[in-house]
Amino acid sequence: MTTDFTPDRAALRSWLPGFVALGVIWGSSFLFIKVAVAELHPLHLTLYRVATGAVTLLVVLAVLRDRLPREPRVWAHMVVIAAFGVAIPFTLFGFGEQRVESMLAGIWNATTPLIVLPLAVLVFRTERLTVRRGVGLGLGFLGVLVVLGVWEGVGGAHFTGQLMCLGAAACYGVAIPYQKKFVAGSAYSGLSLSAAQLLVATAQLAVVAPLVAGAPPVPTGLSARVVGSVLALGALGTGLAFVINLRNIRVAGASTASTVTYLIPVFAVLVGAVVLGERMNWHQPVGALVVLLGVAIAQGVVGRRRRATPVSAGTPAVPAVEPATRT
């Protein structure tokens, strides 16, 4: 699918509600993960979440009379994209949030563009490394060290949880440039490719989850808050949010739509603090600001304007349209 860029001067009322809604949905996803892993093994949570998202997108495909890819080559690439763009990172965020606050997981999700760029330059060769991008990467890496609080020493469950969340972002760093190199030129729509991605991820998890974590629990045996969290993660965060993101790109332009990357950690922190009563050390929000500044410089938001497609996290990495960082 080729994204048609539209002027960033589109009337605010035509795209701002969807833009804010996307920030709220993806920012709140970390809260829902935190609630759900209290009763569900992270692999079971990911399985239920991805399956719900797949069903949601299949319904949207049917309504829009779109269809799934038919080329075996595309499905073969989906095996890699589904693993590194959905199954592994979603599970790592689940494991991570068993050890760290949901707001901190939201901050780590924002580091995705910093990991995507060097892999895209050095491994997949889909981007060029410029001085501006190098400065942004360096600043972002400094922010990561501040968030980790490396001067306090390393080790412990909390530090391990942070590394798991960073590992999830690193998975997106593989999936996004891989899909850009091997799938982005496909004639299929982003919606079609994303539905295929979720279907493949569901199949992968249906095999791995029982082997690692045992048989998934029956949904009727879960509390209402956990069931609601899974449905919110699947139907909203992994399903309908993608449709909203595509509309934002179409109406406001990819450059404007991509800035939701900076809104997600803000909502993640607000929701975690208000709903769960979470608190952070001083260096974590400071480090987050440094990370976001590095991302802004690397993406050209600060310094000069450029046409940028969003780069995502926590929900599936969308083939053909690099999504805003989310989970």
Side-chain angles (χ1 to χ4, degrees), residues 136-278:
L137 283 175
L139 189 60
F141 179 70
L142 176 62
V144 167
L145 296 180
V146 174
V147 173
L148 282 173
V150 292
W151 59 86
E152 296 180 347
V154 298
H158 196 268
F159 184 79
T160 301
Q162 292 195 69
L163 291 183
M164 289 178 172
C165 292
L166 180 58
C171 287
Y172 296 136
V174 174
I176 292 174
Y178 182 95
Q179 70 191 22
K180 184 172 183 179
K181 183 176 180 68
F182 297 108
V183 180
S186 170
Y188 299 103
S189 69
L191 181 61
S192 172
L193 293 169
S194 291
Q197 182 181 355
L198 291 181
L199 285 173
V200 173
T202 300
Q204 293 171 336
L205 290 161
V207 173
V208 174
L211 294 176
V212 176
V218 179
T220 54
L222 301 173
S223 66
R225 60 182 294 182
V226 170
V227 173
S229 295
V230 172
L231 291 177
L233 283 168
L236 294 178
T238 315
L240 293 180
F242 173 70
V243 179
I244 297 174
N245 188 46
L246 283 183
R247 183 185 182 278
N248 289 349
I249 293 172
R250 185 176 67 252
V251 175
S255 179
T256 299
S258 71
T259 58
V260 76
T261 296
Y262 310 101
L263 198 60
I264 294 169
V266 174
F267 279 109
V269 170
L270 288 176
V271 172
V274 173
V275 179
L276 297 178
E278 295 178 339

Side-chain angles (χ1 to χ4, degrees), residues 3-322:
T3 304
D4 293 326
F5 293 94
T6 55
D8 290 337
R9 295 188 297 273
L12 282 176
R13 64 178 179 273
S14 68
W15 60 266
L16 188 59
F19 180 85
V20 174
L22 204 57
V24 173
I25 291 172
W26 282 340
S28 300
S29 293
F30 302 97
L31 164 68
F32 295 131
I33 293 173
K34 188 73 173 179
V35 171
V37 293
E39 296 181 25
L40 280 172
H41 188 284
L43 274 168
H44 293 156
L45 168 60
T46 305
L47 172 60
Y48 283 143
R49 171 188 180 180
V50 173
T52 303
V55 171
T56 301
L57 289 190
L58 287 176
V59 171
V60 175
L61 277 176
V63 171
L64 297 180
R65 297 184 179 180
D66 203 346
R67 59 187 177 87
L68 291 169
R70 296 183 179 181
E71 297 178 30
R73 178 190 65 84
V74 173
W75 286 98
H77 286 307
M78 283 299 162
V79 173
V80 177
I81 297 171
F84 286 95
V86 180
I88 299 175
F90 284 15
T91 303
L92 283 175
F93 271 121
F95 277 115
E97 289 201 45
Q98 288 181 326
R99 298 162 175 82
V100 303
E101 299 81 4
S102 66
M103 57 173 62
L104 192 52
I107 290 174
W108 283 115
N109 188 64
T111 65
T112 297
L114 299 176
I115 302 172
V116 169
L117 182 55
L119 287 176
V121 171
L122 299 175
V123 179
F124 297 98
R125 301 186 182 278
T126 57
E127 302 286 347
R128 289 191 310 109
L129 184 62
T130 62
V131 173
R132 172 178 52 79
R133 287 175 168 177
V135 171
L137 283 175
L139 189 60
F141 179 70
L142 176 62
V144 167
L145 296 180
V146 174
V147 173
L148 282 173
V150 292
W151 59 86
E152 296 180 347
V154 298
H158 196 268
F159 184 79
T160 301
Q162 292 195 69
L163 291 183
M164 289 178 172
C165 292
L166 180 58
C171 287
Y172 296 136
V174 174
I176 292 174
Y178 182 95
Q179 70 191 22
K180 184 172 183 179
K181 183 176 180 68
F182 297 108
V183 180
S186 170
Y188 299 103
S189 69
L191 181 61
S192 172
L193 293 169
S194 291
Q197 182 181 355
L198 291 181
L199 285 173
V200 173
T202 300
Q204 293 171 336
L205 290 161
V207 173
V208 174
L211 294 176
V212 176
V218 179
T220 54
L222 301 173
S223 66
R225 60 182 294 182
V226 170
V227 173
S229 295
V230 172
L231 291 177
L233 283 168
L236 294 178
T238 315
L240 293 180
F242 173 70
V243 179
I244 297 174
N245 188 46
L246 283 183
R247 183 185 182 278
N248 289 349
I249 293 172
R250 185 176 67 252
V251 175
S255 179
T256 299
S258 71
T259 58
V260 76
T261 296
Y262 310 101
L263 198 60
I264 294 169
V266 174
F267 279 109
V269 170
L270 288 176
V271 172
V274 173
V275 179
L276 297 178
E278 295 178 339
R279 296 292 182 267
M280 291 190 296
N281 294 322
W282 67 268
H283 60 84
Q284 292 163 348
V286 170
L289 291 176
V290 176
V291 167
L292 291 177
L293 179 59
V295 171
I297 293 174
Q299 291 186 329
V301 176
V302 173
R304 71 179 180 86
R305 293 183 61 85
R306 65 184 284 265
R307 284 183 173 183
T309 50
V311 177
S312 160
T315 33
V318 181
V321 180
E322 294 180 22

